[in-house]
């Protein structure tokens, strides 16, 4: 084994990878197969806290909707996607500009970004809504936000669109969606614009029960995977992989992730809390009932004494 050179190892790898993936349904070209064989690890930037669209699980793997697509694409084109460890989505965008990152798992297609990025077909299309506090102002639409302070995440496409279309709005920018929702929840900010799936998941996971939908927007979010502009063969291979997803596969990913989920540990904790509260309420009822019986008995005794006294 020690005598087998690196060139020989690569030749063997290419031969058998070609054999396997050439027969696969996405029909990779010889140029694509060779590039993928020489670059088996693809560096990915993702939002580590962007559930359910994307997040990093306990094993350091990309999860969520984007993670599900990437896991299937790994099988389809024979590579391994590796998270680069970026802390925010904006930081990830900077790394792909500098060449440190090969792809970003979730990006909204915007013409300004087409200069240095290639977009796959969109794999998710969602509506953006205005979120406010329960019992506060109902904005209705974007016109109702005039005079109010809204919070948005720096670098997000929806933030750029709002600033472009409504330059007079007062916008506070933060690094993460969770930070934005917390500011809204405590009343430091009046409104937040986000997609329904992402905001719903984050509201539930953070327990922010006082946040509600307070209006609609004309914005719809399309999300795609983007590849660095100069990675031509990776781009074409990933496009073929995206085209190969069946309606059944797409529906299964949607069912798994575009549903409001709470972690099992939180569900278990919630059940325990419910039992504790129920037990306390039961004790209070029993004590109250016992005291009530004593009171009734006391009153009967008083009535007897009064009757005797009257006699």
């Amino acid at each position: 084994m020690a005598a087998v050179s690196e060139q020989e190892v690569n030749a063997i790898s290419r031969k058998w990878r070609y054999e396997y993936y050439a027969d696969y349904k996405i029909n990779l070209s010889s140029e694509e197969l060779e590039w993928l064989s020489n670059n088996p690890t693809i560096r990915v930037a993702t939002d580590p806290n962007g559930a359910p669209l994307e997040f990093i699980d306990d094993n350091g793997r990309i999860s969520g909707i984007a993670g599900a697509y990437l896991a299937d694409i790994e099988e389809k084109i024979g590579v391994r996607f590796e998270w680069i460890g970026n802390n925010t989505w904006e930081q990830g965008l900077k790394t792909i500009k500098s060449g440190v990152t090969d792809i970003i798992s979730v990006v909204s297609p915007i013409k300004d970004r087409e200069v240095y990025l290639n977009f796959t077909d969109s794999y998710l299309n969602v509506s953006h809504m205005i979120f406010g506090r329960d019992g506060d102002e109902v904005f209705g639409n974007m016109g109702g936000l005039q005079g109010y302070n809204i919070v948005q995440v720096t670098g997000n496409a929806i933030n750029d669109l709002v600033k472009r279309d409504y330059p007079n709005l007062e916008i506070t920018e933060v690094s993460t969606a969770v930070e934005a929702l917390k500011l809204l929840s405590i009343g430091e900010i009046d409104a937040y614009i986000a997609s329904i799936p992402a905001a719903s998941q984050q509201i539930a996971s953070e327990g922010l029960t006082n946040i509600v939908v307070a209006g609609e927007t004309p914005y719809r979010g399309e999300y795609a995977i983007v590849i660095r502009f100069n990675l031509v063969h990776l781009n074409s291979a990933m496009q073929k992989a995206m085209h190969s997803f069946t309606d059944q596969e797409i529906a299964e990913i949607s069912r798994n992730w575009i549903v409001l989920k709470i972690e099992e540990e939180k569900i278990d904790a919630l059940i325990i809390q419910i039992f504790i509260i129920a037990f306390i309420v039961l004790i209070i009822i029993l004590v109250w009932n016992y005291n009530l019986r004593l009171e009734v008995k006391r009153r009967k005794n008083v009535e007897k004494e009064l009757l005797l006294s009257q006699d």
Side-chain angles (χ1 to χ4, degrees):
M1 287 299 297
V4 180
S5 67
E6 184 178 350
Q7 290 78 14
E8 290 171 320
V9 170
N10 289 337
I12 293 169
S13 176
R14 280 195 297 271
K15 177 182 184 298
W16 291 103
R17 288 164 70 89
Y18 284 175
E19 291 280 343
Y20 180 76
Y21 290 106
D23 291 336
Y24 203 74
K25 60 185 177 182
I26 62 176
N27 297 320
L28 295 174
S29 68
S30 58
E31 292 83 4
E32 291 163 348
L33 287 166
E34 184 173 6
W35 190 94
L36 294 169
S37 178
N38 292 328
N39 301 273
T41 301
I42 308 300
R43 300 164 298 177
V44 185
T46 192
D47 183 350
N49 301 300
L53 299 181
E54 56 181 346
F55 65 97
I56 302 301
D57 64 18
D58 294 336
N59 298 317
R61 293 280 293 172
I62 300 170
S63 191
I65 297 171
Y69 277 98
L70 290 178
D72 285 348
I73 293 172
E74 280 184 334
E75 296 296 323
K76 293 175 185 289
I77 66 175
V79 297
R80 185 173 69 89
F81 293 111
E82 185 178 87
W83 177 47
I84 63 165
N86 60 298
N87 295 318
T88 64
W89 185 91
E90 187 181 26
Q91 185 183 22
L93 188 62
K94 291 178 181 178
T95 62
I96 202 168
K97 289 180 181 179
S98 62
V100 173
T101 299
D102 300 319
I103 73 170
I104 302 178
S105 53
V106 176
V107 176
S108 293
I110 295 178
K111 287 187 177 181
D112 294 346
R113 295 170 179 167
E114 292 177 356
V115 177
Y116 57 95
L117 297 173
N118 281 315
F119 292 84
T120 66
D121 290 346
S122 298
Y123 58 83
L124 184 64
N125 193 314
V126 296
S127 297
H128 285 82
M129 306 297 283
I130 303 170
F131 290 86
R133 283 182 303 280
D134 190 14
D136 282 3
E137 186 74 22
V138 175
F139 302 105
N141 53 42
M142 293 297 296
L145 290 174
Q146 293 294 336
Y148 292 93
N149 189 6
I150 68 173
V151 62
Q152 294 300 122
V153 179
T154 302
N156 278 8
I158 185 64
N159 186 27
D160 296 335
L161 292 173
V162 171
K163 287 196 292 187
R164 181 197 68 188
D165 298 339
Y166 301 90
N168 295 327
L169 286 180
E170 183 181 353
I171 298 176
T172 298
E173 297 189 22
V174 295
S175 299
T176 66
V178 170
E179 185 180 354
L181 286 166
K182 286 182 177 179
L183 288 176
L184 175 60
S185 178
I186 63 177
E188 290 192 12
I189 297 297
D190 300 312
Y192 171 53
I193 299 171
S195 68
I196 289 287
S200 299
Q201 175 74 25
Q202 290 148 0
I203 288 168
S205 63
E206 296 297 323
L208 304 175
T209 57
N210 65 332
I211 295 179
V212 296
V213 172
E216 61 181 3
T217 77
Y219 305 115
R220 291 193 62 83
E222 291 189 356
Y223 297 110
I225 300 171
V226 295
I227 303 97
R228 204 167 72 240
F229 195 77
N230 59 334
L231 302 180
V232 179
H233 297 309
L234 177 61
N235 176 54
S236 57
M238 290 194 67
Q239 279 283 31
K240 289 180 179 179
M242 291 298 293
H243 291 162
S244 72
F245 280 95
T246 65
D247 292 341
Q248 183 178 354
E249 289 172 323
I250 294 170
E252 185 177 352
I253 293 173
S254 297
R255 275 197 305 271
N256 288 339
W257 290 107
I258 308 183
V259 174
L260 191 58
K261 291 187 174 184
I262 302 175
E263 295 177 6
E264 291 181 4
E265 294 83 357
K266 293 184 178 179
I267 293 174
D268 293 339
L270 182 61
I271 292 171
I272 292 170
Q273 288 174 5
I274 291 170
F275 273 115
I276 291 172
I277 292 169
F279 179 73
I280 292 171
V281 170
L282 179 61
I283 293 296
I284 292 171
I285 291 172
L286 290 173
V287 171
W288 176 79
N289 190 47
Y290 176 74
N291 289 333
L292 184 61
R293 287 181 179 181
L294 288 177
E295 179 65 18
V296 170
K297 186 176 180 181
R298 187 186 68 81
R299 288 185 180 185
K300 284 182 177 180
N301 289 334
V302 170
E303 286 175 0
K304 284 182 181 179
E305 291 175 2
L306 286 171
L307 287 172
L308 288 172
S309 176
Q310 288 174 355
D311 290 341

